[in-house]
Amino acid sequence: MEEKMNFILLVPILFPVIAGVFLVWKREFRKRRNLLWFVGTALLITGTFVAVNLMGGERRLTAFYLTKELPVFFKLDALGRLFALLVTLVWILAGFFSFEYMKKEKRETRYYGFYLITFGVLLGLDFSGNLITMYLFYEFMTLASLPLVLHSQTREALMAGLKYLFYSFCGAYLALFGIYFLIRMGNTIEFTPGGVFESGFLAEHETLFLVITMLLIFGFGVKAGMFPMHAWLTAAHPVAPGPASGVLSGIIVKGGVLALIRVLYYLIGPGFLSGTRVQKIWIILTLITIFMGSMLAFREPVLKKRLAYSTVSQVSYILFGLAVCERSAFEGALLHVVAHALIKVCLFLCAGAIIYRTGCKRVEELVGIGKKMPVTLWCYTIASLGLIGIPPTSGFVSKWYLGMGALDSEIPIFSWLGPMILIISALLTAGYLLPVTMKGFFPGEEFVCKREKEPYLMTAPLIILAALTLFIGIFPETVLTVIRTISGVCI
Amino acid sequence: MEFVLNFPCFSILLAMFAAIISSVLKGRGAKILNTFVVSLVGLMSLAVLIFTVRTGECYVYVMGHFPAPLGNELRFGALEAGMALFFAVIMLLSLNGGRRKIKLEIAENKEHLYYVMVNLLLSSLLALVYTNDLFTAYVFVEINTISACGLIMITEHGRCIEAAMRYMIMSLLGSGLFLIGICILYDLTGHLLMSYIHTSIEAIVEAGTYSVPLLVTIALIVVGLAIKSALFPFHAWLPDAYGYSTVSSAAMLSSLVSKGYIFLLIKLMYRVIGFPIFANSKVIDVLFVFGIAGMIMGSLSAIRENDIRRMISYSSVAQIGYIYMGFGLGTMAGMVASIFHILSHAATKSLLFVSAVGLTDVSGNHKDFEQLTGAAYRNKAAGVAFTVGALSMVGIPAFSGFVSKLLFAQAAMDQHEKMLPALIVLAVSSVLNVIYFMKTVIRIYTPVQTGYPSVRAKENKLFVVTLICFIVLNVLLGMCSQPITEWIVQGLNVFA
Amino acid sequence: MGNHVFANYGEVVAMLLFGIGFTNLLLQKNMIKKIIGLNIMDTAVYLFLAEKGYIEGHLAPIVVNGDLNPETYINPIPSGLVLTGIVVSVSVTALMLSLTIRLYRRYHTLDLDEITTRLKKEGR
Amino acid sequence: MNAICLLLVVLIPPLAGAVVALAPWRRRTHWMIFLEFAVVVNSVLVWLLLFNRPADTLTLIHFTGELSIAFRLDGLGTVFAGLVSFLWPFATLYAFEYMTKEKHERVFFFFYTLTYGVTLAIALSDNILTMYCFYEMLTLATVPLVMHTLSREAVLASRKYLYYSIGGAAFAFIGMIFIITYGDTTEFLLGGVLNMVKVGENRNVLQFIYFLTFLGFGVKAAVCPFNSWLPQAGVAPTPVTALLHAVAVVKSGAFAILRVTYYSFGTDFLRGSFAQSAVMAIVMFTIVYGCSMAVKETHLKRRLAFSTISNLSYILFGAVLMTPLGLVGALSHMVFHALMKICSFFCAGAIIHQTERIYVHQLDGLAKKMPKIFGIFTVSALALMGVPGLCGFISKFNLASAAIESGNLLSYFGIGCLLISALLTAIYMLSIVVRAYFPAEGFREETLEGITDPNWMMLVPLIVFVILIVGFGVFSAPLVTLFKDIAGGLF
């Protein structure tokens, strides 16, 4: 590819950001229709740009230098492509869902503005070619998504927003500590599959690097909702408007995952981590998170909060996969990134749709919801099955790989304890998701109600997401080929 | 012999005769005579100063017809002449600054007596500066004491008389010790002329005999003079004496009288005992310790004080501590710093006293800080002058205090064991100075609604001019320290 | 040591007197007693000087019969000093006494500390 | 250019100020234009000097011995003089508008411009004595500014300010004396002037003296425990707090420390000594302490003042690393913090001027009424936090990499402190921003009737600053290169 064409990389990042800033600046549209047209077009155009980029070969672009040793550098590699595709897909779908959902909310323009800005920032995160660029977008991701959390401006939302902010920055700065060292110690900060450090160098500074790695794991782990820094997640996600909580839970937590993959597999190198004490600690933490998240979800009565706890648990599946440092576990983790993103967004959108139509937030109020909103609940059910890991859904495949990877690895105890906890957690997942379906479809004899209207702007995204879940479950190879190319170079 | 060499003798006698004549004059006449005499003394000293600086030598002036070992002598070089000039200048300025107060506070039929005392004081100061004879020095010390006492008690205020009484008692204790010291010294050496005593003492030290009596003598003399110059812990009389007397008296007492004694002490150190011998005795360490103790304790007392005049007085205690600390370093540099500080403190302290009175005048003659609030707006000249004085005391560059601080610190660097204590105490004492002086400055610049009248500069020209002279003097000392220190060094070299 | 003291008993007495006078001047409360202390102190000094100047068997330094041989007389300088000293001490004593009188007239006490307390109570 | 110009730039401001204070002006606008003109001319002159540096030294007065008052322009002075002379015209412009509501304006402006001259003199000082002299003068020139309102609070604050500053200078004085005695010269030379032969066995004493000197000058730079004057001095009119207590005065303290550390005592002498550890510990504590207090504080200007305390210690942290890179970090934070803090202070001032609201909790919803001010405030807040892409990140990065480079274990903890402080910064700055943009439910907009953005005189400086914050954040290479040259002694 010609060097001068590389600026195309910037377009999908800048375009939504500019569009979003314009919206925030403009504040009011005369007609709601104009706003929707504007947002819709912006989303689709961005999608097109992303598609153009994904089609092309590898692109590299150094935008500018912060200081001499800190270039802002973009690169399009396999991992970036995967994440970018995922983000774009989910963002467009959730965006269209919002058109209907946000009808009832105030200050819509601001919402869409930040929605678009966050979109651009996430694409920037995916396209980042080096550590500093990634960190830049990582910070912006927190800031841009903050207004989404705060949107309703209730006191609860404000508190949740501040909590989100505090935890995120706490994590970011923990990570920054490590980043400083990585920048200073490494020859380059460009992401290179398999790491940039020589093993001799790592051995020489082993203690230092262990500390750094630990800090990085903790730091980015905050975004991924890893125990013990998960409290913000269950506070912040449910207070956002439905589609926003969907993308927060489905995509933004994956920002932390992406950052961890980048740092561990593309800079430090997975070989350094395996077998160290840090790896064990990390595995223990992920396992605790998995189990605890499920347990908490199990006893949570509010649906959106339950889903948020579920996110805590599920993202740690991914982290577990990463922590094992084994090829098929890594593949499982990446697959679970995709699967969980689609499923969780679908679930949150379902929850949003239910709230939008009926105003019911608590699980026990959802009796008979399947009679009122059958399409929504069907999608919910499919997604739930996916999350539990029942074939033929995507969740089954990803968990399969995770479990296989863990068993293949030679880490004592955890090679069997891990899969066991995965299975227990899966059971718990079934326990907290399926009752909604059962009570929804089988409310009992005396339940009478009329069917609610389900607007197609809401159902269409749900159906697409549910279909994708099934599709990946049935034809996992479509995604797995991409993932294999990634894992092939990383491990 | 150059005619100019007669001037020191003339100036002493002139002042003394002026005192005698003043006693039969009316207040106004006495005032004019006094001004004239002080100015003339100043001019004569200037002439001597120029002459001695140019020749760079020291001159001996024989009084009466008895030659050296027996007779009485004056001896002067650049340092003495400069000091005399400086004393005259400060005296003139202090008197002018307090002129209005003198009129107000002193009964009309006693005004001429005040000038008698002033003339006497001048004469005795000059004698202390110039004399080369120890017993003459003692006599003039006593004259000095008596005239100073007169200056304190002249207002006939109860507090003043009490202060005068206390001052007298302490002074007499001091002069008693001084006298017995002289007598023992005379006993040891058989001389009263300083240069001759010095020769004998050198011989004694060389022979190694009489080391204890010599030490005791030095101690007696030094303690005597220390009491008289209000070195901590002998300062109890000072705040009352400075705080309640009329302002000119306070200014002169703090900047001249105590400095006269200190100058005499320097003379004793250099000319009588010999600086190396003095520096090797333990006395010097004691002086150092009391000096730094005075620096701190004086400032602490000043901080606690609620009366502006007494606060300034306590500050004098601290400043005298500086001077003694300089002696205590036992080096030439320390001595130069101390002498510079004598000048700088004299210039600053009299400025402070004079301007403080300007401030109290517009506050209904109250001296407590509460009433002084905003005084600087009511009397602008006094406010500015007080601020300058305060800044100088604190040691802000461009004013005289900074240079002396600098010299002290540099001198301390040469003295290895005393370096750190001296420097740290210097710093701490600066901090304390800041606290009480700046507190006052801010206080007088805090506006407040009061019924007190304001004073315009035009109504009090003499006062304002005096203040301006003081400020110029201060800045001059601060900015042109180079020639002054050179002069001090030159003077000290021919001093012994 | 002992015989030194004995040999110079005049000086010893002078020093003792000086001490007594000094202490009185310093510590007495009564102003008149203070002044007496002052005078004792001064007198001690004169005694000391006189003792120093005195030479056994020599005459007072007043030339009466034209004998100019210095061996005849005692050292005249201490005597001169004593005379000067007496003048000084007289004037100082006079001043002190006058001050005492003034204070006594005002406060009807000779105790300096009491005067001070009273003055402080008056607040001026 | 001729060295006499050095004197000229020091003298013009006080003279212009005196003319303003004493001449009989008929109208306010006249002297305003005159003063602004004079300040701008002076700044232009300074910048001309910076680009055509006079090589020789200008000696004014000989003090005793070889001590003299002299001016010279070297690398470090260039940075400080450039910074000050750049900010002053803008600050003056801002002050014109702000001071319309205050009394005794002309006296105020006399001292305000006097301070300009004195600060420049500090920057241009050739030797330690000159710097000390003007350092004291600075205190005196600024006391009337603090006292300006003449309220009881102001008087107390100025008194405290005086005590602290002059008291600190008294200890710095000791250091000066030691430099005079043990140095080859009193001039500032990179690498220090100590004569090792003279020092001989007094190494420990000198290191202790350095510690004292650090504390002495540190009073102005508000190191713990000598920092309580700074928040109190916030009673002064905002232009004073902004320019003096966020830039000129406090930076003079930091500048003086840089001077004594790098140019007098010399880093080779100090590095690794107990003095370094001691001062570093103090600095690190101050960094965290300042931020924590800022979080606790609810008074807007005082909160910013506490933030200044913490940020000043960033500069000092760079200084006490005692490596060339540390100097680079210190210099970059000196410049960038000046921009950020003056910007946020001016915003606070604008808020006070327009609404007379001084507490954080009174700022609810103001962003809607004052969008420009709060937009700018947000940017400066983000910059202070160290979000990448804004200039705060660059300086923190420089500091951190210098700390890593120095290899001093204590300095690793220093990085930790930087990050903790960044987190706390996020809390205390963003909580204001969040409050202003997202007022909690039940907030009544009518209470904000009639509040608008201030006029151009206030806005122009702010906009310039914000452009620079972003500009330097994105592209700081030339400036950092300049700092490196200075630290390497090349400039």
PDB file of all heavy atoms in Angstrom, chain B residues 445-468:
ATOM      1  N   TYR B 445      -0.190  48.872  58.267  1.00  0.00           N
ATOM      2  CA  TYR B 445      -0.764  49.079  56.946  1.00  0.00           C
ATOM      3  C   TYR B 445      -2.155  48.478  56.816  1.00  0.00           C
ATOM      4  O   TYR B 445      -2.673  48.387  55.715  1.00  0.00           O
ATOM      5  CB  TYR B 445       0.164  48.515  55.866  1.00  0.00           C
ATOM      6  CG  TYR B 445       1.226  49.507  55.471  1.00  0.00           C
ATOM      7  CD1 TYR B 445       2.530  49.392  55.909  1.00  0.00           C
ATOM      8  CD2 TYR B 445       0.902  50.601  54.670  1.00  0.00           C
ATOM      9  CE1 TYR B 445       3.492  50.322  55.567  1.00  0.00           C
ATOM     10  CE2 TYR B 445       1.849  51.527  54.323  1.00  0.00           C
ATOM     11  CZ  TYR B 445       3.146  51.386  54.780  1.00  0.00           C
ATOM     12  OH  TYR B 445       4.072  52.320  54.436  1.00  0.00           O
ATOM     13  N   THR B 446      -2.694  48.015  57.892  1.00  0.00           N
ATOM     14  CA  THR B 446      -4.061  47.507  57.835  1.00  0.00           C
ATOM     15  C   THR B 446      -5.012  48.671  58.089  1.00  0.00           C
ATOM     16  O   THR B 446      -4.963  49.278  59.154  1.00  0.00           O
ATOM     17  CB  THR B 446      -4.282  46.456  58.929  1.00  0.00           C
ATOM     18  OG1 THR B 446      -3.245  45.500  58.824  1.00  0.00           O
ATOM     19  CG2 THR B 446      -5.619  45.792  58.772  1.00  0.00           C
ATOM     20  N   PRO B 447      -5.818  49.004  57.131  1.00  0.00           N
ATOM     21  CA  PRO B 447      -6.652  50.189  57.328  1.00  0.00           C
ATOM     22  C   PRO B 447      -7.756  49.921  58.344  1.00  0.00           C
ATOM     23  O   PRO B 447      -8.236  48.802  58.486  1.00  0.00           O
ATOM     24  CB  PRO B 447      -7.243  50.411  55.946  1.00  0.00           C
ATOM     25  CG  PRO B 447      -7.264  49.073  55.342  1.00  0.00           C
ATOM     26  CD  PRO B 447      -6.116  48.312  55.900  1.00  0.00           C
ATOM     27  N   VAL B 448      -8.110  50.964  59.060  1.00  0.00           N
ATOM     28  CA  VAL B 448      -9.172  50.817  60.046  1.00  0.00           C
ATOM     29  C   VAL B 448      -9.794  52.192  60.242  1.00  0.00           C
ATOM     30  O   VAL B 448      -9.161  53.222  60.019  1.00  0.00           O
ATOM     31  CB  VAL B 448      -8.582  50.241  61.353  1.00  0.00           C
ATOM     32  CG1 VAL B 448      -7.811  51.289  62.122  1.00  0.00           C
ATOM     33  CG2 VAL B 448      -9.657  49.635  62.216  1.00  0.00           C
ATOM     34  N   GLN B 449     -11.031  52.187  60.634  1.00  0.00           N
ATOM     35  CA  GLN B 449     -11.693  53.464  60.882  1.00  0.00           C
ATOM     36  C   GLN B 449     -11.408  53.910  62.310  1.00  0.00           C
ATOM     37  O   GLN B 449     -11.782  53.231  63.251  1.00  0.00           O
ATOM     38  CB  GLN B 449     -13.204  53.311  60.698  1.00  0.00           C
ATOM     39  CG  GLN B 449     -13.642  53.102  59.277  1.00  0.00           C
ATOM     40  CD  GLN B 449     -13.431  54.333  58.428  1.00  0.00           C
ATOM     41  OE1 GLN B 449     -13.564  55.454  58.910  1.00  0.00           O
ATOM     42  NE2 GLN B 449     -13.075  54.133  57.162  1.00  0.00           N
ATOM     43  N   THR B 450     -10.701  55.033  62.450  1.00  0.00           N
ATOM     44  CA  THR B 450     -10.480  55.535  63.797  1.00  0.00           C
ATOM     45  C   THR B 450     -10.721  57.038  63.799  1.00  0.00           C
ATOM     46  O   THR B 450     -10.805  57.669  62.751  1.00  0.00           O
ATOM     47  CB  THR B 450      -9.028  55.316  64.265  1.00  0.00           C
ATOM     48  OG1 THR B 450      -8.175  55.907  63.296  1.00  0.00           O
ATOM     49  CG2 THR B 450      -8.701  53.869  64.447  1.00  0.00           C
ATOM     50  N   GLY B 451     -10.791  57.558  64.980  1.00  0.00           N
ATOM     51  CA  GLY B 451     -10.972  58.998  65.072  1.00  0.00           C
ATOM     52  C   GLY B 451      -9.661  59.764  65.068  1.00  0.00           C
ATOM     53  O   GLY B 451      -9.652  60.979  65.173  1.00  0.00           O
ATOM     54  N   TYR B 452      -8.563  59.042  64.988  1.00  0.00           N
ATOM     55  CA  TYR B 452      -7.280  59.726  65.084  1.00  0.00           C
ATOM     56  C   TYR B 452      -7.024  60.566  63.847  1.00  0.00           C
ATOM     57  O   TYR B 452      -7.357  60.153  62.738  1.00  0.00           O
ATOM     58  CB  TYR B 452      -6.153  58.720  65.272  1.00  0.00           C
ATOM     59  CG  TYR B 452      -6.299  57.899  66.520  1.00  0.00           C
ATOM     60  CD1 TYR B 452      -6.195  56.529  66.489  1.00  0.00           C
ATOM     61  CD2 TYR B 452      -6.564  58.528  67.736  1.00  0.00           C
ATOM     62  CE1 TYR B 452      -6.346  55.784  67.624  1.00  0.00           C
ATOM     63  CE2 TYR B 452      -6.711  57.774  68.885  1.00  0.00           C
ATOM     64  CZ  TYR B 452      -6.602  56.405  68.834  1.00  0.00           C
ATOM     65  OH  TYR B 452      -6.746  55.667  69.955  1.00  0.00           O
ATOM     66  N   PRO B 453      -6.405  61.710  64.043  1.00  0.00           N
ATOM     67  CA  PRO B 453      -6.156  62.578  62.892  1.00  0.00           C
ATOM     68  C   PRO B 453      -4.970  62.073  62.074  1.00  0.00           C
ATOM     69  O   PRO B 453      -4.139  61.333  62.572  1.00  0.00           O
ATOM     70  CB  PRO B 453      -5.822  63.919  63.544  1.00  0.00           C
ATOM     71  CG  PRO B 453      -5.217  63.549  64.848  1.00  0.00           C
ATOM     72  CD  PRO B 453      -5.896  62.291  65.299  1.00  0.00           C
ATOM     73  N   SER B 454      -4.920  62.515  60.834  1.00  0.00           N
ATOM     74  CA  SER B 454      -3.775  62.186  59.997  1.00  0.00           C
ATOM     75  C   SER B 454      -2.798  63.347  60.027  1.00  0.00           C
ATOM     76  O   SER B 454      -3.164  64.474  60.319  1.00  0.00           O
ATOM     77  CB  SER B 454      -4.221  61.964  58.561  1.00  0.00           C
ATOM     78  OG  SER B 454      -5.159  60.941  58.521  1.00  0.00           O
ATOM     79  N   VAL B 455      -1.562  63.035  59.717  1.00  0.00           N
ATOM     80  CA  VAL B 455      -0.548  64.082  59.673  1.00  0.00           C
ATOM     81  C   VAL B 455      -0.059  64.184  58.246  1.00  0.00           C
ATOM     82  O   VAL B 455       0.238  63.173  57.619  1.00  0.00           O
ATOM     83  CB  VAL B 455       0.615  63.732  60.615  1.00  0.00           C
ATOM     84  CG1 VAL B 455       1.734  64.731  60.443  1.00  0.00           C
ATOM     85  CG2 VAL B 455       0.139  63.712  62.043  1.00  0.00           C
ATOM     86  N   ARG B 456      -0.006  65.399  57.746  1.00  0.00           N
ATOM     87  CA  ARG B 456       0.511  65.564  56.395  1.00  0.00           C
ATOM     88  C   ARG B 456       1.996  65.858  56.489  1.00  0.00           C
ATOM     89  O   ARG B 456       2.478  66.423  57.462  1.00  0.00           O
ATOM     90  CB  ARG B 456      -0.187  66.735  55.704  1.00  0.00           C
ATOM     91  CG  ARG B 456      -1.698  66.676  55.811  1.00  0.00           C
ATOM     92  CD  ARG B 456      -2.340  66.212  54.525  1.00  0.00           C
ATOM     93  NE  ARG B 456      -1.821  66.901  53.358  1.00  0.00           N
ATOM     94  CZ  ARG B 456      -2.506  67.855  52.731  1.00  0.00           C
ATOM     95  NH1 ARG B 456      -3.653  68.289  53.231  1.00  0.00           N
ATOM     96  NH2 ARG B 456      -2.023  68.376  51.634  1.00  0.00           N
ATOM     97  N   ALA B 457       2.692  65.505  55.438  1.00  0.00           N
ATOM     98  CA  ALA B 457       4.147  65.684  55.453  1.00  0.00           C
ATOM     99  C   ALA B 457       4.527  67.146  55.647  1.00  0.00           C
ATOM    100  O   ALA B 457       5.508  67.471  56.298  1.00  0.00           O
ATOM    101  CB  ALA B 457       4.737  65.155  54.163  1.00  0.00           C
ATOM    102  N   LYS B 458       3.702  68.042  55.075  1.00  0.00           N
ATOM    103  CA  LYS B 458       4.049  69.461  55.128  1.00  0.00           C
ATOM    104  C   LYS B 458       4.055  70.003  56.548  1.00  0.00           C
ATOM    105  O   LYS B 458       4.795  70.934  56.870  1.00  0.00           O
ATOM    106  CB  LYS B 458       3.034  70.267  54.313  1.00  0.00           C
ATOM    107  CG  LYS B 458       3.299  70.205  52.826  1.00  0.00           C
ATOM    108  CD  LYS B 458       2.226  70.968  52.086  1.00  0.00           C
ATOM    109  CE  LYS B 458       2.189  70.527  50.631  1.00  0.00           C
ATOM    110  NZ  LYS B 458       0.883  70.751  50.035  1.00  0.00           N
ATOM    111  N   GLU B 459       3.215  69.426  57.383  1.00  0.00           N
ATOM    112  CA  GLU B 459       3.093  69.966  58.734  1.00  0.00           C
ATOM    113  C   GLU B 459       4.293  69.633  59.599  1.00  0.00           C
ATOM    114  O   GLU B 459       4.445  70.178  60.677  1.00  0.00           O
ATOM    115  CB  GLU B 459       1.829  69.406  59.398  1.00  0.00           C
ATOM    116  CG  GLU B 459       0.552  69.847  58.716  1.00  0.00           C
ATOM    117  CD  GLU B 459      -0.616  68.968  59.125  1.00  0.00           C
ATOM    118  OE1 GLU B 459      -0.522  68.299  60.172  1.00  0.00           O
ATOM    119  OE2 GLU B 459      -1.603  68.951  58.384  1.00  0.00           O
ATOM    120  N   ASN B 460       5.087  68.737  59.141  1.00  0.00           N
ATOM    121  CA  ASN B 460       6.152  68.262  60.023  1.00  0.00           C
ATOM    122  C   ASN B 460       7.416  68.035  59.218  1.00  0.00           C
ATOM    123  O   ASN B 460       7.928  66.935  59.116  1.00  0.00           O
ATOM    124  CB  ASN B 460       5.687  66.956  60.671  1.00  0.00           C
ATOM    125  CG  ASN B 460       6.353  66.771  62.005  1.00  0.00           C
ATOM    126  OD1 ASN B 460       7.260  67.518  62.348  1.00  0.00           O
ATOM    127  ND2 ASN B 460       5.913  65.776  62.742  1.00  0.00           N
ATOM    128  N   LYS B 461       7.879  69.146  58.644  1.00  0.00           N
ATOM    129  CA  LYS B 461       8.934  69.006  57.647  1.00  0.00           C
ATOM    130  C   LYS B 461      10.198  68.397  58.246  1.00  0.00           C
ATOM    131  O   LYS B 461      10.805  67.507  57.671  1.00  0.00           O
ATOM    132  CB  LYS B 461       9.259  70.375  57.054  1.00  0.00           C
ATOM    133  CG  LYS B 461       8.358  70.724  55.904  1.00  0.00           C
ATOM    134  CD  LYS B 461       8.808  72.016  55.256  1.00  0.00           C
ATOM    135  CE  LYS B 461       7.661  72.646  54.525  1.00  0.00           C
ATOM    136  NZ  LYS B 461       7.600  74.087  54.665  1.00  0.00           N
ATOM    137  N   LEU B 462      10.571  68.895  59.407  1.00  0.00           N
ATOM    138  CA  LEU B 462      11.816  68.455  60.006  1.00  0.00           C
ATOM    139  C   LEU B 462      11.817  66.941  60.195  1.00  0.00           C
ATOM    140  O   LEU B 462      12.784  66.243  59.875  1.00  0.00           O
ATOM    141  CB  LEU B 462      11.992  69.152  61.364  1.00  0.00           C
ATOM    142  CG  LEU B 462      13.327  68.872  62.039  1.00  0.00           C
ATOM    143  CD1 LEU B 462      14.464  69.399  61.193  1.00  0.00           C
ATOM    144  CD2 LEU B 462      13.347  69.499  63.411  1.00  0.00           C
ATOM    145  N   PHE B 463      10.690  66.472  60.694  1.00  0.00           N
ATOM    146  CA  PHE B 463      10.527  65.046  60.944  1.00  0.00           C
ATOM    147  C   PHE B 463      10.713  64.249  59.654  1.00  0.00           C
ATOM    148  O   PHE B 463      11.471  63.279  59.594  1.00  0.00           O
ATOM    149  CB  PHE B 463       9.129  64.827  61.529  1.00  0.00           C
ATOM    150  CG  PHE B 463       8.854  63.413  61.923  1.00  0.00           C
ATOM    151  CD1 PHE B 463       9.476  62.875  63.027  1.00  0.00           C
ATOM    152  CD2 PHE B 463       7.956  62.642  61.214  1.00  0.00           C
ATOM    153  CE1 PHE B 463       9.215  61.574  63.394  1.00  0.00           C
ATOM    154  CE2 PHE B 463       7.693  61.357  61.582  1.00  0.00           C
ATOM    155  CZ  PHE B 463       8.324  60.818  62.679  1.00  0.00           C
ATOM    156  N   VAL B 464      10.045  64.725  58.622  1.00  0.00           N
ATOM    157  CA  VAL B 464      10.103  63.990  57.362  1.00  0.00           C
ATOM    158  C   VAL B 464      11.513  64.014  56.791  1.00  0.00           C
ATOM    159  O   VAL B 464      12.036  62.988  56.335  1.00  0.00           O
ATOM    160  CB  VAL B 464       9.101  64.595  56.370  1.00  0.00           C
ATOM    161  CG1 VAL B 464       9.246  63.939  55.006  1.00  0.00           C
ATOM    162  CG2 VAL B 464       7.697  64.444  56.886  1.00  0.00           C
ATOM    163  N   VAL B 465      12.136  65.173  56.858  1.00  0.00           N
ATOM    164  CA  VAL B 465      13.491  65.273  56.320  1.00  0.00           C
ATOM    165  C   VAL B 465      14.422  64.328  57.076  1.00  0.00           C
ATOM    166  O   VAL B 465      15.246  63.616  56.485  1.00  0.00           O
ATOM    167  CB  VAL B 465      13.990  66.731  56.416  1.00  0.00           C
ATOM    168  CG1 VAL B 465      15.480  66.798  56.105  1.00  0.00           C
ATOM    169  CG2 VAL B 465      13.224  67.594  55.455  1.00  0.00           C
ATOM    170  N   THR B 466      14.240  64.317  58.398  1.00  0.00           N
ATOM    171  CA  THR B 466      15.069  63.416  59.200  1.00  0.00           C
ATOM    172  C   THR B 466      14.887  61.974  58.755  1.00  0.00           C
ATOM    173  O   THR B 466      15.866  61.238  58.577  1.00  0.00           O
ATOM    174  CB  THR B 466      14.661  63.513  60.676  1.00  0.00           C
ATOM    175  OG1 THR B 466      14.575  64.874  61.021  1.00  0.00           O
ATOM    176  CG2 THR B 466      15.654  62.808  61.549  1.00  0.00           C
ATOM    177  N   LEU B 467      13.629  61.625  58.586  1.00  0.00           N
ATOM    178  CA  LEU B 467      13.367  60.239  58.190  1.00  0.00           C
ATOM    179  C   LEU B 467      14.015  59.939  56.852  1.00  0.00           C
ATOM    180  O   LEU B 467      14.600  58.868  56.657  1.00  0.00           O
ATOM    181  CB  LEU B 467      11.867  59.996  58.121  1.00  0.00           C
ATOM    182  CG  LEU B 467      11.165  59.958  59.468  1.00  0.00           C
ATOM    183  CD1 LEU B 467       9.692  59.708  59.276  1.00  0.00           C
ATOM    184  CD2 LEU B 467      11.760  58.864  60.343  1.00  0.00           C
ATOM    185  N   ILE B 468      13.911  60.908  55.949  1.00  0.00           N
ATOM    186  CA  ILE B 468      14.500  60.662  54.629  1.00  0.00           C
ATOM    187  C   ILE B 468      16.014  60.468  54.770  1.00  0.00           C
ATOM    188  O   ILE B 468      16.595  59.560  54.164  1.00  0.00           O
ATOM    189  CB  ILE B 468      14.177  61.827  53.679  1.00  0.00           C
ATOM    190  CG1 ILE B 468      12.683  61.785  53.351  1.00  0.00           C
ATOM    191  CG2 ILE B 468      14.989  61.728  52.402  1.00  0.00           C
ATOM    192  CD1 ILE B 468      12.196  62.975  52.605  1.00  0.00           C
TER     193      ILE B 468
END
